[in-house]
Amino acid sequence: MDLERVSRRYLELNEEARRELIDGILEIILSSPNTDLVPDEVGWSISNKFRSGELYDLDGFKLILEAANSCEPTKLEKFLEEEMK
Amino acid sequence: MFSFELVPNSPLWKLEIIGSIAEDVGVDGIWLSEHPDNRSSILTACHLLKTFPRLWIGIGVLNPYMFHPLTIAQVAATLSEIAPKRVYIGIGAGDRTSLEKAGIKRAHPLKKVERCVKIVREILEKRFYQDEEIHLRLNFRPRSRVPIYIGAQGRRMLRLAGKIGDGVLVNHTNPDLLEFAVNEVKMGAEEANRRIDELDLAAYLTISMSEDESKALKTATPYSAYIICGAGREFIERLGIDPKIVEDVRRILRIGDWIRLYQVLPPDYIKATTFIGGVEELKELVAKLFKLGYTQIVFGSPFGPRILKALKMIGEVIKYFEEDINRE
């Protein structure tokens, strides 16, 4: 997955679309039975950002991309293909 | 009162995120289930109590086979220091399949649970317990009262819960069994000259919500399998479940062949033991349970194939009943 390309595309979206995208990826992470594969420091950072309402920025987006890519790479790729058409 | 059940089979950061969503959708507390192959519910409770100062945390349930009553009392008293008035302890006989995996035979569950509750309560209330085997004085004071809930499913455990529990965690989702359970708890309470409204009667539901029924069924399948394997003969008969399938499911669970499990367990059995549906169906079930006399609804795992979406759906149900209460 080309993270740079995905991040550039993210920045082109309006705020509502960014939130929807992040929620979609968060759903993949929360519904995954493989979250033990996510590096703990990434997981804790996501939780801190989520609870302080700061997940919906570029840093938050990059973190959840990394987490979803660790636990559900195929689902993430399919989701991004659909969302970023 | 509404609460969530979280299973500590996910990393703590993930439980934190779900806990945060739980706070947002308006639940009052979180029950943490205890399984020997998951993270410790006790240590998870410590963490969540510090993270969420508005929520109470219950450990549901610790069984006296794996946890000595003195350990349970010590845990409850220590947690009350972390979060006074926000700690609940559940005590029950434990899941038969999980205990078997640990090499423990679940012998005399009623006696075991009754004695365990007696010891824990006395230590928490008087800081002292003595009988022919145990002599213990607690070196510190519990910072608040810790309500003791009894996890119950069968007729005799439900009656015992009515006699001695501050609350009951009724481990059923099927409305007919939940109705049966209320009556048994009532009988137990009456036998002990108590009123049913002295107890917090909690329906501990297994929920799988989705607009796509087949996905909701698939998600609920392992949970249903454990429920069926842990249920007594009486419930298997009541639910019309073929005992041969119960035996097959037990064997499959022992070897962990999940693909075979999806083939063997019929959808009707899954529906009889878990909640499968959407917002309107859940509202209907909750209304029915309040009418039966339940005072707490525990929305339990797995929630659904898409957790975030399912939690939001449960949030809609909670909001509906809160608005209903405010209207009254």
Side-chain angles (χ1 to χ4, degrees):
Chain A
M1 188 177 49
D2 183 350
L3 287 179
E4 280 310 308
R5 187 183 68 85
V6 173
S7 299
R8 274 201 307 275
R9 180 77 182 92
Y10 167 83
L11 289 172
E12 288 164 15
L13 299 171
N14 64 32
E15 199 175 329
E16 198 190 331
R18 287 178 184 179
R19 287 187 87 88
E20 272 177 27
L21 187 66
I22 286 185
D23 278 344
I25 301 173
L26 189 62
E27 178 74 272
I28 292 173
I29 298 166
L30 294 182
S31 305
S32 169
N34 307 319
T35 34
D36 264 331
L37 298 173
V38 176
D40 286 328
E41 65 276 15
V42 173
W44 288 117
S45 301
I46 291 172
S47 176
N48 290 339
K49 277 186 157 287
F50 181 81
R51 289 185 298 114
S52 60
E54 293 166 2
L55 188 63
Y56 300 93
D57 61 16
L58 184 60
D59 283 346
F61 179 65
K62 284 180 175 172
L63 279 170
I64 61 158
L65 270 186
E66 187 181 347
N69 199 35
S70 304
C71 62
E72 297 292 349
T74 313
K75 278 186 190 165
L76 174 67
E77 198 150 355
K78 203 175 153 194
F79 175 78
L80 288 175
E81 266 173 29
E82 283 293 313
E83 292 297 309
M84 296 199 156
K85 262 178 194 168
Chain B
M1 182 155 68
F2 293 104
S3 59
F4 272 1
E5 177 221 31
L6 295 187
V7 182
N9 57 358
S10 301
L12 291 178
W13 58 262
K14 186 164 152 182
L15 299 180
E16 263 191 10
I17 295 174
I18 298 175
S20 180
I21 297 167
E23 233 181 0
D24 284 350
V25 302
V27 301
D28 305 286
I30 292 173
W31 284 99
L32 294 168
S33 66
E34 167 61 38
H35 302 278
D37 48 357
N38 288 338
R39 287 159 185 79
S40 156
S41 60
I42 296 166
L43 297 180
T44 304
C46 290
H47 179 70
L48 296 185
L49 283 166
K50 291 297 277 182
T51 309
F52 299 109
R54 192 185 67 73
L55 298 175
W56 54 255
I57 304 290
I59 300 177
V61 300
L62 298 175
N63 70 72
Y65 300 96
M66 298 203 63
F67 297 91
H68 193 283
L70 301 183
T71 308
I72 298 177
Q74 181 193 40
V75 163
T78 309
L79 289 177
S80 79
E81 191 174 335
I82 294 174
K85 297 181 186 171
R86 290 197 292 124
V87 178
Y88 295 171
I89 290 287
I91 295 174
D95 168 54
R96 191 181 296 157
T97 315
S98 298
L99 286 171
E100 274 172 14
K101 280 186 183 171
I104 297 169
K105 198 171 172 234
R106 202 174 67 166
H108 312 296
L110 273 182
K111 272 188 190 168
K112 275 279 216 188
V113 168
E114 187 169 12
R115 181 165 185 265
C116 180
V117 171
K118 185 175 189 289
I119 296 169
V120 174
R121 184 170 282 142
E122 281 198 27
I123 292 175
L124 291 175
E125 286 175 1
K126 301 174 188 167
R127 290 170 57 189
F128 178 73
Y129 182 82
Q130 184 171 19
D131 64 14
E132 59 280 4
E133 291 168 12
I134 298 171
H135 179 100
L136 182 105
R137 184 176 297 281
L138 203 62
N139 280 336
F140 64 102
R141 75 183 158 82
R143 299 302 196 263
S144 65
R145 188 173 171 276
V146 179
I148 300 174
Y149 283 63
I150 315 291
Q153 211 173 34
R155 185 189 297 273
R156 290 185 302 164
M157 194 63 84
L158 287 161
R159 288 198 189 184
L160 177 68
K163 279 183 197 167
I164 64 171
D166 296 311
V168 192
L169 296 170
V170 179
N171 202 5
H172 287 302
T173 305
N174 184 292
D176 293 338
L177 293 181
L178 284 160
E179 185 171 359
F180 152 85
V182 173
N183 295 330
E184 294 301 325
V185 173
K186 264 184 197 163
M187 275 188 247
E190 281 164 14
E191 282 170 31
N193 291 321
R194 303 174 78 196
R195 289 194 326 269
I196 187 83
D197 59 12
E198 289 175 36
L199 286 90
D200 181 20
L201 199 53
Y204 207 102
L205 309 175
T206 304
I207 304 274
S208 185
M209 296 184 83
S210 175
E211 283 138 8
D212 183 334
E213 188 179 280
S214 66
K215 285 185 179 166
L217 281 166
K218 193 178 176 200
T219 305
T221 303
Y223 290 79
S224 175
Y226 272 101
I227 292 167
I228 286 171
C229 290
R233 195 181 301 158
E234 187 183 356
F235 296 121
I236 297 298
E237 282 171 13
R238 262 177 187 265
L239 294 172
I241 293 173
D242 181 351
K244 276 184 200 160
I245 290 185
V246 179
E247 276 314 305
D248 278 351
V249 171
R250 275 206 183 115
R251 193 173 36 76
I252 290 167
L253 282 187
R254 268 197 296 273
I255 56 173
D257 185 353
W258 302 110
I259 293 167
R260 181 88 186 109
L261 184 65
Y262 295 122
Q263 295 163 346
V264 163
L265 204 56
D268 283 353
Y269 290 4
I270 302 169
K271 284 183 189 170
T273 47
T274 63
F275 170 84
I276 305 288
V279 171
E280 291 311 312
E281 291 89 349
L282 189 58
K283 279 181 192 169
E284 213 173 287
L285 175 64
V286 171
K288 195 171 185 177
L289 298 180
F290 281 145
K291 208 171 173 186
L292 282 174
Y294 283 91
T295 44
Q296 184 183 160
I297 307 296
V298 187
F299 297 107
S301 296
F303 301 125
R306 294 176 66 190
I307 289 184
L308 194 57
K309 189 161 189 200
L311 295 178
K312 285 178 183 168
M313 288 164 96
I314 294 171
E316 277 181 53
V317 175
I318 293 172
K319 198 174 167 200
Y320 170 82
F321 283 98
E322 278 172 352
E323 283 172 356
D324 206 33
I325 289 164
N326 290 339
R327 270 196 299 275
E328 281 170 13

